[in-house]
Amino acid sequence: MSRHEPFTFQSAPELLQKADELGVELPFQDSVSPLFESLVIGSKTLANRLAVQPMEGFDADTDGSPSELTFRRYRRYAEGGCSLIWFEATSVVTEGRSNPHQLMLHPRNLDSFKRIVEEIRRLAQKVFGSAYEVFLVLQLTHSGRYSQPEGKPLRQVAGFNPNLDRGPKDVRILSDDELDRLQDKYVEVATLVEQAGFDAVDIKACHGYLVNELLAARTREGSRYGETFENRIRFLSEVVEKVRDRTSGLCLAVRLSAFDGIPGGFGVSGENHENFDLAEPNELVRRLVQFNCSLFNITIGNPYEKPHLGRPFDRPLQGAPFPEEHPLEGITRLLRITSAFQKEFPDVPFVGTGYSWLRHFFPNVGAAVLQRREASLIGLGRSSFAYPDAPKDLMSSGALDPSKVCISCSRCTELMRNGHESGCVMKDKEIYSKLYQKLSIKGKENEEKHD
Ligand SMILES: Cc1cc2nc3c(=O)[nH]c(=O)nc-3n(C[C@H](O)[C@H](O)[C@H](O)COP(=O)(O)O)c2cc1C
């Protein structure tokens, strides 16, 4: 492990020299043409290999419908040119919402989801031509330990975890009956996802939320959902199997944290939780593929505990410590893990994560990853908040505008953690820098109160 450093690279040789010094292998090539190779998923042909990653905006109406601000975010993505747009975490039940403004899909607001799907498709075709096909995935979730349906914690978990919870009374352990009912809910909402016109549904299994937590529920005793590998993967695999049986044209997708990086987590080595062991995640993916899961998005880490694992940054959240590793170590870990899956399952598309810190060099790294067949799509998270037009600029001029790229400052997460609408404070100033100013003023007022 090396010292954390911010991004300072003016040229590709400087970036590659740093990777050499750190002893990590950073794929890199000058030609970005692999980003513009087509890819077939299900019945669609995607024109390029760039994907918008799911990014919660905390801006839905209280009934879970996309608001005008939600529409604005997705319009920007549609016009930006990523051929796959992975819609953000959308709750299947009220009590599992991460906040009162998380998207939630139910029969009463189905029409509002239909509208956003239609608008995104129409806009993408208006900009990129009538033959252009944008692939839309909706991510379904229950926020589990991190639920805040009314703006304060309502921690519902697979099991008490002394590393994550203040005490046993801090959390409510969901019973097997409740989990059975929740499975039904996932299946019901997945049928709505199909009716709304999405191409795929993602059963979110990442970042410490409920379905991800269940994968590591080794201490959940006497339950059909705990202890053994078969039991721990039961919730996810049965949901996927049931959704397959209840839908017809919908592709099945899973965003998976392949390595939690915390003691007792999924994909961690028994000897040292800082190291990954992909034996169980690999077997899980194998089973999911058997249930017709045809798209995966690989991520790692629990952002509440170790945000640097899944989203390497220059600046941590205010007051949080800097990680004891260089962001390039984090990025190359993500690349290695994704590559291991793509190599094991060469016919299944895997979306790679963690490119935003690379700024205007992400296309070169992404292109090299694709060239080596170490992922099928390059996912862009914070970069999509900051610079949704990046694909369009790449198409027209072959390069990005360095003044528009994400600077991985964590302010989008700060907005979110403080219950505000989330977006890029630095590059989408019209909306989000004003919100951030309010936050700073509130922070100062609170500091003064403490004095
Ligand atoms: C503000 C914010 C919201 C996010 N919301 C989601 C989400 O809804 N679902 C999800 O799977 N990941 C979510 N993520 C994680 C991103 O999809 C992505 O994995 C992460 O930012 C790393 O990719 P990047 O380096 O391109 O930003 C979120 C991240 C941020 C910063």
Side-chain angles (χ1 to χ4, degrees):
M1 296 233 192
S2 304
R3 224 164 50 87
H4 181 278
E5 282 175 343
F7 188 100
T8 51
F9 312 103
Q10 300 294 328
S11 68
E14 282 176 35
L15 175 68
L16 293 170
Q17 191 189 330
K18 177 49 79 176
D20 267 358
E21 278 169 33
L22 294 167
V24 295
E25 199 194 350
L26 186 70
F28 193 99
Q29 65 178 49
D30 291 335
S31 164
V32 298
S33 62
L35 295 173
F36 297 101
E37 281 171 16
S38 62
L39 175 71
V40 176
I41 310 180
S43 60
K44 291 251 158 92
T45 303
L46 284 62
N48 63 56
R49 304 298 188 101
L50 293 162
V52 173
Q53 290 285 24
M55 296 287 289
E56 265 195 80
F58 272 43
D59 55 15
D61 292 336
T62 46
D63 77 340
S65 309
S67 67
E68 182 42 40
L69 196 50
T70 322
F71 269 82
R72 177 186 182 273
R73 281 190 294 120
Y74 285 91
R75 273 188 215 116
R76 284 161 51 95
Y77 299 154
E79 291 170 336
C82 280
S83 66
L84 187 150
I85 301 177
W86 202 296
F87 275 61
E88 71 208 70
T90 300
S91 193
V92 293
V93 287
T94 308
E95 65 275 16
R97 282 173 104 180
S98 61
N99 72 93
H101 293 283
Q102 184 177 40
L103 285 177
M104 178 169 64
L105 173 58
H106 46 77
R108 294 177 308 289
N109 70 2
L110 175 59
D111 281 347
S112 63
F113 280 82
K114 279 186 183 164
R115 269 202 308 283
I116 198 164
V117 166
E118 279 160 16
E119 183 155 346
I120 297 315
R121 294 200 191 286
R122 190 180 48 72
L123 260 185
Q125 290 193 339
K126 190 170 154 206
V127 180
F128 301 104
S130 56
Y132 186 82
E133 299 194 291
V134 61
F135 193 91
L136 304 181
V137 187
L138 184 69
Q139 179 175 72
L140 294 186
T141 194
H142 182 300
S143 293
R145 173 169 276 106
Y146 305 105
S147 303
Q148 298 208 23
E150 290 175 17
K152 50 183 193 302
L154 184 67
R155 295 158 81 85
Q156 303 145 76
V157 297
F160 168 64
N161 183 331
N163 296 307
L164 304 178
D165 305 317
R166 283 196 302 263
K169 288 199 180 134
D170 190 30
V171 294
R172 193 169 77 71
I173 298 176
L174 294 170
S175 68
D176 278 12
D177 283 352
E178 285 175 304
L179 290 175
D180 292 345
R181 284 199 294 278
L182 189 61
Q183 275 199 337
D184 296 340
K185 210 64 206 170
Y186 268 93
V187 179
E188 197 183 304
V189 180
T191 64
L192 299 177
V193 174
E194 183 168 37
Q195 288 173 45
F198 287 93
D199 298 295
V201 64
D202 160 28
I203 311 301
K204 179 178 189 178
C206 60
H207 302 159
Y209 298 106
L210 185 64
V211 180
N212 177 215
E213 189 205 350
L214 280 161
L215 298 176
R218 294 186 187 80
T219 58
R220 185 183 168 95
E221 292 173 359
S223 158
R224 5 192 273 116
Y225 296 107
E227 297 180 277
T228 63
F229 177 69
E230 296 298 329
N231 283 351
R232 287 183 279 117
I233 65 164
R234 184 185 303 283
F235 189 93
L236 174 59
S237 41
E238 286 185 358
V239 168
V240 169
E241 190 183 9
K242 289 176 185 173
V243 171
R244 177 198 64 186
D245 294 344
R246 284 279 302 278
T247 55
S248 45
L250 197 61
C251 284
L252 302 171
V254 168
R255 188 160 208 224
L256 178 68
S257 276
F259 165 55
D260 290 342
I262 52 174
F266 189 60
V268 303
S269 155
E271 281 138 37
N272 178 357
H273 69 267
E274 309 263 331
N275 295 335
F276 57 85
D277 175 350
L278 300 182
E280 284 198 349
N282 236 303
E283 183 53 27
L284 170 62
V285 169
R286 190 177 316 284
R287 308 278 182 99
L288 294 172
V289 169
Q290 281 165 4
F291 291 140
N292 287 2
C293 200
S294 57
L295 176 64
F296 290 88
N297 189 332
I298 297 297
T299 174
I300 61 174
N302 175 329
Y304 298 89
E305 296 295 314
K306 300 213 173 143
H308 64 282
L309 288 180
R311 52 185 81 155
F313 49 73
D314 264 15
R315 169 186 172 272
L317 296 181
Q318 243 176 7
F322 279 90
E324 286 173 12
E325 72 173 18
H326 194 282
L328 277 175
E329 292 175 310
I331 289 168
T332 49
R333 181 192 295 110
L334 269 158
L335 298 186
R336 282 203 313 280
I337 291 179
T338 309
S339 158
F341 286 101
Q342 187 65 84
K343 297 258 181 228
E344 185 72 23
F345 304 95
D347 300 329
V348 183
F350 284 80
V351 183
T353 297
Y355 289 84
S356 292
W357 185 84
L358 293 162
R359 300 195 182 188
H360 49 292
F361 296 116
F362 87 71
N364 307 91
V365 175
V369 166
L370 293 171
Q371 187 73 37
R372 297 168 171 210
R373 307 267 178 261
E374 294 183 343
S376 298
L377 286 141
I378 304 306
L380 303 168
R382 293 161 296 174
S383 166
S384 296
F385 270 175
Y387 190 4
D389 283 342
K392 203 158 61 181
D393 283 1
L394 263 180
M395 278 179 239
S396 57
S397 68
L400 297 183
D401 178 345
S403 73
K404 292 186 183 171
V405 295
C406 165
I407 56 164
S408 62
C409 65
S410 297
R411 289 186 175 87
C412 53
T413 308
E414 281 170 11
L415 279 173
M416 189 164 92
R417 291 285 165 86
N418 285 282
H420 278 289
E421 296 88 338
S422 185
C424 185
V425 172
M426 308 307 287
K427 312 283 168 171
D428 190 6
K429 292 195 169 157
E430 182 195 339
I431 309 275
Y432 299 101
S433 74
K434 284 192 195 128
L435 285 172
Y436 194 76
Q437 272 161 20
K438 278 198 221 157
L439 193 77
S440 311
I441 292 165
K442 218 165 78 190
K444 284 207 185 91
E445 280 170 1
N446 288 343
E447 272 169 32
E448 279 158 21
K449 274 186 207 145
H450 283 298
D451 284 345

